[in-house]
Amino acid sequence: FCSRRLRDLFGFTMDKMFSTGLFNQSAADVLDEAATAVFDDKTMKSKLPAAVYTRFKQSLVTGEVTSEEDMQAIADSIFGWARSKGAVAFAHWFFPMRGGSGAVGGACGAFKMDTLIDLEWSSPEGTKPFKATLPPERLFFGETDGSSFPNGGLRATHTAAAFTTWDRSSPCFVYEKVLRVPCSFVTHLGACIDDKTPLLRSNDAVNREGLRLLKAVNIGTDAKQIHSFLGWEQEFFVIKADLYRARPDLVNCGRTLIGALPARNQQADLNYFAPVPEAVHALLFNIQAAMLKLGCPMAVCHNEVAPAQHEMSPIYCQATFSSDNNVLFMEVCNNEAAKLGLAVLFHEKPFAGINGSGKHNNWSIGTDTGLNFFYPGKTDPARELFVIGIACLSYGLMQHNDLVRCAVAHAGNDHRLGAQEAPPAIVSLYPGTGFEAHVDSIIGGGELLGYKAEKKTADTKSTAAMPAPCGVEDRNRTAPFPFCGNRFEFRAVGSSQNCSFPIAMVNTIMASGMAHLASLIEGGMSTRDAVAQIYKENRNVIFTGNGYSAEWPDEAKRRGLPNRFTTPLATATFNSEKAKTVFEAMKVYSPEECDARQEVMYENYNTTLSVEASTLVQMIETGILPACATDLAKYSAMPSLKGERDAVYTSIKKETDQLKKLFASKPHEMVAEADYLCNTVKPQMQVVRAAVDKAEGLIQKDLYPFPTYEQLIYSHHS
């Protein structure tokens, strides 16, 4: 099954991956250590008493509290295992609502390290001796300050307590001598102030409403649990670390605020799938080895479209563990790059005019018995469930379109969405042209069965190369939610994001669709008629055309699909009454938590834009303008050669002064500030950039104060 899923996801099997040389001989040694640093199910089963293991596994289904006796047994087992792996400390690892677009990639996670020691409390001595140990309560629970993390007003200095509690569905692991314990993070009153907890709640919603739906349609009723699954595709740039440090914009903002395109940039498609530069090749293999040891098999790595851009992808797994792995992956990338004198950029758009980076989330819903809601299986019940599953998704995407847009709304992604390199900000569903026709047939009175999920072949019309097997439907890279054979690919997720929030949102809207369909059937409608009604009422969200076309925004408007093309436009919808209603119904966010999350989204956006504006002014005033003055002075003896330098350099000063003036006038109310930064300050930053980039082509080469694009994206290729 895993081999088939790997083939479906990435086009080859595990055996093929080894035979093609993706792993060299040195990496093959690493394969012997695969998953040795993670306390996964196999390890847990081998280390725990059988009864304790069984009760622990059952708690993941029922939500039962682990008893003190079992906590002790589990803690003792993990302690012994972690020490054997060299751990000297442990840490509760959680995911504050930091948002995307951070200057330092991989900062999605948070933890403090505690040494694996405690006092011998039974000792009668006043100064008690200490011993190496892991008390069970410290494995399962922790307390820290919640007011210093983004919390949307749910915590304050005088009400600061927040608690971490082990997410028992995600295994502990040892990384750099620290036992990491993946955790949920909640306030003293139980409100979530992290990305993990909403994902866990949305998993519960999918499980609850999915089991209810299966009972209503009488398919797969032997299932005990329903899971969401995720396979992410992480794009990123790699540059030299010394050049990174020489660019204040990269250090402070994660993206370049100025910089002219080199003559070649990404033209002629020279980079895509080309041989990986030697320095980066070493980095990717080191990352691959580290992640494999941590239980995350990185199945794919290759050059992406843009120069200095690369991608790595793992085999899919349960969504919570997969999201945790992605956060860990970004941290590992940073650490391994530093060892080689490199830097990894996770910003969605580090270089203007060059393709940005996304993190496609391949998402599916399936039962513990092997049924996949998004796979047109080989039996009639499985085929019927496929049609039912997409109906639920179409309902969720149409009725709660804004929530899916908010899932990917942040300052970095604004530079990428709709830029002919990523899906537009309009959220639509692409199930394939053949399935679209089947939907219309169902709406017209046809049966649920009848969709021909038959794979085709692409004939090379040559003797040597056989016809290649094709998917059921063609690929649509312009769609934010295309069908990919056995899953849907949420293509709009930004490269710097924690996957937890986007997956929590799509789980929520899917669970809502499941609940709605189950209600119709429970109310007396036949399954066919209920599915037909859902498709009819939500038909407009299904679009199989070109999402990059100039006509699509107008067509989307006629269909009632919103085009929230900036983060402030999207964020304004997150705490609407409709949003709060579905969040409460699915038990993912309380109204108070919803308001808090929106506030954090605004704060993240405002902080990001403010840092960018301040950094741009600083770079110009301390670097660009002095360089311009020095360059211009060199033409005093021959003014006829200075060309347009005087006018261009003067315009930089003028437009920068205007930027400073506008920025100083920004309002202080959160929503107004976001709108102002987006619609007034950001456009002026673009004006300043245009002037500086023009000057870059005029200033004497050795006077330009910052590494150029050409240096940044090509210098490590030798």
Side-chain angles (χ1 to χ4, degrees):
F1 175 74
C2 288
S3 180
R4 185 177 74 247
R5 281 287 296 185
L6 180 62
R7 182 186 66 244
D8 290 340
L9 281 171
F10 304 114
F12 50 80
T13 63
M14 184 70 82
D15 290 339
K16 181 67 174 290
M17 184 166 63
F18 297 140
S19 66
T20 53
L22 183 58
F23 292 98
N24 60 17
Q25 186 57 46
S26 62
D29 297 334
V30 178
L31 292 178
D32 294 334
E33 296 187 353
T36 56
V38 58
F39 197 77
D40 57 10
D41 182 70
K42 180 181 178 181
T43 303
M44 175 177 279
K45 189 173 185 179
S46 69
K47 299 289 185 182
L48 287 178
V52 176
Y53 170 80
T54 299
R55 287 192 293 269
F56 183 86
K57 294 295 289 185
Q58 186 63 25
S59 72
L60 299 181
V61 178
T62 65
E64 289 181 54
V65 173
T66 301
S67 69
E68 291 186 3
E69 293 78 12
D70 284 0
M71 286 171 57
Q72 183 70 62
I74 293 167
D76 290 344
S77 177
I78 291 178
F79 172 72
W81 171 83
R83 290 290 293 132
S84 74
K85 301 301 176 185
V88 296
F90 74 98
H92 278 197
W93 187 48
F94 57 101
F95 310 110
M97 297 185 289
R98 300 196 200 272
S101 307
V104 179
C108 298
F111 62 93
K112 69 176 178 68
M113 294 172 285
D114 291 290
T115 308
L116 285 165
I117 57 172
D118 200 7
L119 296 179
E120 289 273 17
W121 295 103
S122 60
S123 171
E125 298 297 324
T127 302
K128 300 183 185 301
F130 61 84
K131 63 178 180 179
T133 185
L134 176 60
E137 65 277 5
R138 298 182 72 186
L139 168 65
F140 280 81
F141 310 112
E143 180 182 1
T144 188
D145 169 29
S147 64
S148 296
F149 294 100
N151 61 75
L154 293 176
R155 295 284 81 190
T157 305
H158 65 292
T159 55
F163 299 86
T164 51
T165 175
W166 180 19
D167 165 20
R168 297 175 295 178
S169 69
S170 191
C172 304
F173 59 93
V174 173
Y175 180 56
E176 296 189 328
K177 298 185 178 182
V178 179
L179 170 68
R180 299 266 191 105
V181 184
C183 285
S184 174
F185 188 43
V186 295
T187 72
H188 186 78
L189 302 175
C192 69
I193 51 174
D194 66 339
D195 283 335
K196 165 68 72 72
T197 306
L199 176 58
L200 296 178
R201 294 174 181 175
S202 74
N203 287 339
D204 290 344
V206 164
N207 181 56
R208 181 180 62 250
E209 302 302 336
L211 291 175
R212 175 189 170 195
L213 177 61
L214 290 180
K215 181 179 178 181
V217 301
N218 196 30
I219 296 175
T221 54
D222 57 334
K224 298 293 190 295
Q225 200 167 15
I226 294 177
H227 301 286
S228 62
F229 298 97
L230 168 65
W232 39 269
E233 303 171 34
Q234 178 72 62
E235 295 175 340
F236 52 91
F237 283 79
V238 178
I239 63 174
K240 284 187 175 180
D242 58 343
L243 299 181
Y244 166 80
R245 290 189 290 268
R247 293 281 311 211
D249 45 5
L250 286 177
V251 172
N252 290 329
C253 312
R255 75 179 184 98
T256 55
L257 303 175
I258 55 176
L261 283 171
R264 190 176 88 189
N265 59 77
Q266 64 187 46
Q267 301 306 312
D269 304 315
L270 295 175
N271 197 66
Y272 198 36
F273 280 35
V276 179
E278 184 175 354
V280 181
H281 186 275
L283 171 63
L284 299 187
F285 272 73
N286 291 348
I287 293 168
Q288 193 175 61
M291 292 303 297
L292 186 65
K293 190 173 182 179
L294 291 163
C296 180
M298 303 304 298
V300 172
C301 55
H302 63 83
N303 272 9
E304 255 299 333
V305 172
Q309 188 184 35
H310 311 277
E311 179 180 302
M312 296 186 75
S313 307
I315 303 172
Y316 87 106
C317 63
Q318 192 268 348
T320 307
F321 184 41
S322 186
S323 296
D324 290 356
N325 283 339
N326 182 249
V327 174
L328 180 60
F329 173 84
M330 292 193 285
E331 182 180 345
V332 169
C333 283
N334 286 335
N335 293 343
E336 294 299 329
K339 297 173 186 177
L340 299 175
L342 300 171
V344 176
L345 308 179
F346 288 108
H347 194 284
E348 286 71 23
K349 196 74 169 179
F351 305 104
I354 293 177
N355 271 22
S357 298
K359 180 162 22 204
H360 303 160
N361 280 204
N362 293 276
W363 165 78
S364 63
I365 301 290
T367 70
D368 57 355
T369 56
L371 282 175
N372 183 344
F373 281 74
F374 300 140
Y375 178 68
K378 298 179 180 179
T379 66
D380 283 351
R383 295 186 185 102
E384 188 173 341
L385 184 63
F386 174 69
V387 176
I388 289 169
I390 297 181
C392 295
L393 180 57
S394 67
Y395 172 90
L397 284 173
M398 186 70 195
Q399 299 304 316
H400 306 293
N401 195 278
D402 284 328
L403 294 187
V404 180
R405 173 65 182 93
C406 285
V408 295
H410 55 91
N413 228 13
D414 279 1
H415 297 282
R416 169 179 167 266
L417 293 181
Q420 302 296 306
E421 66 200 49
I426 304 164
V427 178
S428 62
L429 178 66
Y430 175 86
T433 55
F435 192 83
E436 181 181 36
H438 185 58
V439 167
D440 290 334
S441 172
I442 293 172
I443 293 172
E447 295 301 316
L448 299 187
L449 296 175
Y451 174 62
K452 301 296 184 183
E454 298 174 350
K455 292 189 175 182
K456 306 173 181 62
T457 57
D459 192 354
T460 65
K461 298 179 178 61
S462 70
T463 304
M466 297 186 299
C470 299
V472 176
E473 298 283 357
D474 203 350
R475 297 181 67 185
N476 188 332
R477 302 183 73 246
T478 72
F481 236 94
F483 176 62
C484 297
N486 57 8
R487 66 204 185 277
F488 280 89
E489 183 182 30
F490 191 8
R491 293 178 58 85
V493 180
S495 53
S496 69
Q497 288 190 254
N498 185 334
C499 298
S500 296
F501 184 53
I503 295 301
M505 294 302 98
V506 296
N507 278 352
T508 299
I509 63 110
M510 181 66 183
S512 175
M514 290 170 160
H516 180 67
L517 179 55
S519 294
L520 293 177
I521 297 170
E522 291 163 353
M525 291 185 73
S526 69
T527 299
R528 197 224 75 86
D529 289 349
V531 170
Q533 179 174 310
I534 286 181
Y535 275 129
K536 182 178 180 181
E537 293 175 350
N538 302 283
R539 175 65 177 82
N540 283 350
V541 82
I542 297 174
F543 175 66
T544 59
N546 181 6
Y548 289 168
S549 70
E551 296 78 20
W552 172 228
D554 293 332
E555 170 64 17
K557 185 176 181 180
R558 287 192 292 272
R559 291 171 175 238
L561 299 177
N563 184 7
R564 319 282 186 194
F565 53 87
T566 68
T567 291
L569 287 174
T571 303
T573 69
F574 190 74
N575 69 341
S576 67
E577 287 305 311
K578 188 174 185 180
K580 289 181 175 179
T581 297
V582 71
F583 281 139
E584 275 201 287
M586 295 300 107
K587 302 179 182 179
V588 174
Y589 283 118
S590 69
E592 182 184 36
E593 290 170 330
C594 189
D595 289 335
R597 180 81 202 200
Q598 184 198 52
E599 182 174 323
V600 170
M601 292 165 71
Y602 274 122
E603 287 176 347
N604 178 266
Y605 184 83
N606 293 346
T607 299
T608 300
L609 267 292
S610 295
V611 169
E612 288 184 353
S614 299
T615 300
L616 178 57
V617 170
Q618 179 259 334
M619 290 179 71
I620 290 171
E621 293 190 334
T622 64
I624 297 298
L625 290 179
C628 289
T630 301
D631 182 70
L632 189 61
K634 292 180 177 294
Y635 294 90
S636 58
M638 299 186 68
S640 61
L641 296 182
K642 70 179 181 180
E644 57 182 337
R645 285 174 173 77
D646 203 338
V648 172
Y649 298 170
T650 300
S651 73
I652 295 174
K653 177 67 167 64
K654 174 187 174 184
E655 299 301 345
T656 302
D657 287 345
Q658 177 66 5
L659 174 60
K660 291 167 63 178
K661 179 181 178 181
L662 292 174
F663 184 65
S665 301
K666 66 183 177 72
H668 298 294
E669 190 277 323
M670 180 178 65
V671 178
E673 181 181 0
D675 290 338
Y676 183 84
L677 288 169
C678 179
N679 301 314
T680 302
V681 172
K682 189 176 175 182
Q684 182 60 24
M685 290 174 64
Q686 290 299 107
V687 172
V688 172
R689 176 177 194 140
V692 174
D693 290 355
K694 188 172 184 179
E696 184 182 333
L698 301 173
I699 297 174
Q700 183 175 311
K701 184 177 180 180
D702 59 355
L703 292 178
Y704 193 77
F706 306 112
T708 64
Y709 272 23
E710 193 166 75
Q711 293 171 301
L712 289 167
I713 63 179
Y714 294 129
S715 61
H716 63 297
H717 283 213
S718 57

